[in-house]
Amino acid sequence: MYLITVFGNLLIILAISSDSHLHTPMYFFLDNLSFVDICFTSTIIPKMLWNIQTQSKVITYADCLTQIYFLILFAVSDIFLLSVMAYDRFVAICHPLHYTVIMNPWLCGLLVLVSWLSVVSLFYCTMLGVYLSSAAPQNSHSSAVVSVMYTVVTPMLNPFIYSLRNKDIKRALKAITGVPVM
């Protein structure tokens, strides 16, 4: 699943960057979302796979803090980018004649920058929430299932949900791979 997530998101990034028809706000945000999804899953899954392979559950305190820092950073970045993508679609649907004026390259860059800055500024509040929630007793099996769903399945499905239904992305992927996409 990890390889599918990374490969799927890399294909989306490659398709968007190689096709000049896809250099629009919607695909700019999708490109960033794919990058964040790769980073998000790469924060947890390699260590988890290593732990499964070695039958070890050991992690140093510094490694744990680093992992939690990047996990929260990329998870909140995902949320903000999805919000920006929703705003982009709102403008496209509700103000189609003004779309190119409203969603200009400067605003798109600003929205992504604000998303990243918001993540950094909100990081400490989120970290406090994670710290406080870890003190509550929880069922470890249900926590593990929820963790896998959130860290693996969701980022794996994002390329399919946001891209493979789209004829422009399908055309770009066909141009890259030479194989027709669903």
Side-chain angles (χ1 to χ4, degrees):
M1 288 172 79
Y2 175 66
L3 291 177
I4 292 169
T5 302
V6 172
F7 183 69
N9 282 298
L10 280 174
L11 267 177
I12 299 305
I13 291 169
L14 183 62
I16 291 170
S17 59
S18 66
D19 189 341
S20 62
H21 293 98
L22 299 180
H23 294 177
T24 63
M26 179 175 81
Y27 296 111
F28 175 72
F29 298 134
L30 185 59
D31 190 36
N32 280 278
L33 180 68
S34 291
F35 173 74
V36 169
D37 281 345
I38 291 170
C39 294
F40 178 73
T41 55
S42 297
T43 300
I44 298 292
I45 304 305
K47 176 67 174 162
M48 182 181 75
L49 293 173
W50 177 258
N51 288 349
I52 291 169
Q53 183 67 30
T54 62
Q55 298 294 315
S56 171
K57 295 181 181 178
V58 177
I59 186 169
T60 66
Y61 183 71
D63 288 346
C64 182
L65 285 179
T66 303
Q67 192 176 48
I68 287 174
Y69 173 84
F70 285 107
L71 175 73
I72 293 171
L73 176 79
F74 294 124
V76 177
S77 296
D78 229 17
I79 292 165
F80 277 102
L81 280 169
L82 289 170
S83 300
V84 168
M85 289 172 72
Y87 175 72
D88 174 65
R89 295 295 81 206
F90 166 77
V91 172
I93 293 167
C94 296
H95 305 288
L97 299 177
H98 299 288
Y99 179 74
T100 55
V101 174
I102 295 171
M103 296 304 291
N104 60 56
W106 180 84
L107 180 64
C108 293
L110 180 65
L111 287 171
V112 169
L113 178 63
V114 167
S115 293
W116 282 99
L117 289 177
S118 299
V119 168
V120 171
S121 65
L122 291 174
F123 170 75
Y124 293 103
C125 294
T126 310
M127 181 65 117
L128 180 64
V130 168
Y131 176 75
L132 294 176
S133 71
S134 67
Q138 298 173 349
N139 179 342
S140 65
H141 178 69
S142 64
S143 295
V145 169
V146 169
S147 296
V148 167
M149 290 296 288
Y150 189 73
T151 58
V152 179
V153 175
T154 304
M156 181 183 73
L157 292 177
N158 274 346
F160 299 106
I161 292 169
Y162 293 106
S163 303
L164 296 181
R165 299 178 324 181
N166 185 308
K167 63 181 169 80
D168 296 329
I169 290 285
K170 287 180 182 180
R171 187 186 72 244
L173 288 173
K174 183 179 178 185
I176 293 170
T177 63
V179 178
V181 181
M182 302 183 259

